[in-house]
């Protein structure tokens, strides 16, 4: 079971950055550079910094005809591109912060911040940012799915040392994934994760239902290892 959980979490959490630059190193960099902290660390900026921010805002808003929401959305899209396509966490955080400068009332900014911490393995810090995003948009299905996934991570981390706590975390994972699915039933990652969660909760019928749906949706993360584990635990569908 532990081996399978390691495989599952590897699929859900990109560790390419974490292997080379752990959170401790990121923290050292961020301590010296506020642009690597969510919301710039809420520092009191000096005059030069304020002027640079204003120049950036003027140039960006001019490009988007003064539409701050559109400009902020573009910056978050760039942030996610740097995060997942280039594994460039530094540039990604800077783009999310630039989006924050333009329009702080954009839930995707906090989804971005949380995703960086999520990929660094800092699940509590990820949830702090996800909470901020959900205060803006309580029906942000992607945040809800990743929020649930953080509790899957907690399940794995506690499985060998505190089985009761581990399963409490798994129930939390299920609650967030269920909520996400009600909002968006087209996200195959949500569906696949619900299969996994239900298997470990001994909800075999649900586990098979969601696995079949994930396969129909051609989710690329579905593995033979998981399906074999599901057969072992629950029997054939």
């Amino acid at each position: 079971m532990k081996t399978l959980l390691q495989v599952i979490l590897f699929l859900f959490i990109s560790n390419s950055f974490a292997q080379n630059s752990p959170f401790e190193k990121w923290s050292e960099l961020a301590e010296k550079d506020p642009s690597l902290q969510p919301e710039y660390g809420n520092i009191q900026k000096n005059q030069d910094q304020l002027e640079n921010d204003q120049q950036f805002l003027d140039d960006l808003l001019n490009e988007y005809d003064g539409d701050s929401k559109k400009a902020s959305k573009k910056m978050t899209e760039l942030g996610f591109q740097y995060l997942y396509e280039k594994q460039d966490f530094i540039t990604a955080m800077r783009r999310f912060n630039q989006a924050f400068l333009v329009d702080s009332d954009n839930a995707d900014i906090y989804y971005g911040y949380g995703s960086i911490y999520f990929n660094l393995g800092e699940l509590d810090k990820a949830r702090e940012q996800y909470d901020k995003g959900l205060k803006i948009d309580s029906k942000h299905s992607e945040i809800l799915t990743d929020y649930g996934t953080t509790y899957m991570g907690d399940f794995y981390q506690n499985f060998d040392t505190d089985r009761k706590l581990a399963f409490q975390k798994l129930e939390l994972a299920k609650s967030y994934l269920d909520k996400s699915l009600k909002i968006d039933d087209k996200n195959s990652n949500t569906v696949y994760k619900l299969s996994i969660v239900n298997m470990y909760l001994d909800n075999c019928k649900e586990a098979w239902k969601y696995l079949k749906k994930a396969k129909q949706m051609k989710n690329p993360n579905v593995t033979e290892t998981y399906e074999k584990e599901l057969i072992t635990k629950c029997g054939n569908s």
Side-chain angles (χ1 to χ4, degrees):
M1 182 176 183
K2 184 175 180 180
T3 300
L4 176 58
L5 282 168
Q6 289 172 322
V7 171
I8 292 167
L9 289 170
F10 177 80
L11 291 170
F12 295 156
I13 302 177
S14 167
N15 66 0
S16 59
F17 180 88
Q19 287 177 336
N20 298 317
S21 301
F23 179 67
E24 289 77 10
K25 183 174 181 180
W26 175 269
S27 296
E28 291 175 5
L29 293 172
E31 187 175 350
K32 299 174 184 177
D33 185 352
S35 73
L36 302 183
Q37 301 174 38
E39 303 175 46
Y40 294 96
N42 292 304
I43 63 168
Q44 183 66 44
K45 294 185 178 182
N46 60 38
Q47 189 61 35
D48 286 342
Q49 290 170 325
L50 291 172
E51 290 177 359
N52 288 335
D53 285 350
Q54 190 59 54
Q55 185 63 56
F56 165 77
L57 287 171
D58 290 343
D59 291 343
L60 186 65
L61 289 174
N62 182 60
E63 182 178 352
Y64 288 93
D65 299 321
D67 190 332
S68 59
K69 292 190 179 300
K70 187 175 181 180
S72 183
K73 180 181 178 181
K74 179 60 177 179
M75 299 314 295
T76 55
E77 288 174 352
L78 288 173
F80 282 111
Q81 287 177 18
Y82 277 102
L83 177 58
Y84 289 117
E85 295 178 16
K86 301 180 181 180
Q87 288 79 52
D88 182 348
F89 285 42
I90 288 175
T91 304
M93 179 62 89
R94 287 174 176 161
R95 294 295 172 268
F96 294 137
N97 270 328
Q98 287 172 333
F100 171 78
L101 275 181
V102 184
D103 176 23
S104 61
D105 193 26
N106 174 358
D108 283 340
I109 296 168
Y110 307 96
Y111 180 37
Y113 291 152
S115 295
I116 288 177
Y117 285 129
F118 179 87
N119 281 275
L120 287 168
E122 290 296 310
L123 304 182
D124 285 336
K125 288 184 177 295
R127 286 190 285 260
E128 288 176 6
Q129 298 303 322
Y130 293 156
D131 280 331
K132 291 181 180 180
L134 290 172
K135 285 181 179 179
I136 296 171
D137 180 3
S138 63
K139 295 184 177 181
H140 195 299
S141 63
E142 291 168 306
I143 291 180
L144 290 167
T145 291
D146 280 5
Y147 210 131
T149 309
T150 67
Y151 285 122
M152 294 176 75
D154 285 340
F155 172 65
Y156 166 68
Q157 291 176 357
N158 289 284
F159 185 79
D160 289 333
T161 57
D162 190 336
R163 195 67 57 90
K164 181 179 179 181
L165 177 60
F167 279 93
Q168 288 174 347
K169 298 295 185 179
L170 201 61
E171 290 284 1
L172 285 171
K174 183 178 181 299
S175 69
Y176 277 90
L177 293 168
D178 283 338
K179 188 181 297 185
S180 177
L181 190 68
K182 288 180 181 178
I183 296 166
D184 177 14
D185 62 1
K186 301 297 190 296
N187 188 329
S188 66
N189 282 324
T190 308
V191 173
Y192 183 39
K193 292 173 187 181
L194 274 168
S195 177
I196 295 165
V197 167
N198 277 286
M199 182 190 73
Y200 288 125
L201 291 173
D202 293 324
N203 300 328
C204 292
K205 184 177 179 180
E206 292 292 291
W208 274 114
K209 179 185 77 173
Y210 287 122
L211 177 60
K212 289 177 179 178
K213 185 174 180 180
K215 291 174 73 172
Q216 289 172 353
M217 298 169 82
K218 301 186 184 303
N219 183 281
N221 294 324
V222 175
T223 66
E224 290 184 10
T225 302
Y226 171 64
E227 190 161 0
K228 288 177 181 178
E229 181 74 10
L230 182 55
I231 293 171
T232 299
K233 187 172 178 63
C234 292
N236 290 308
S237 60

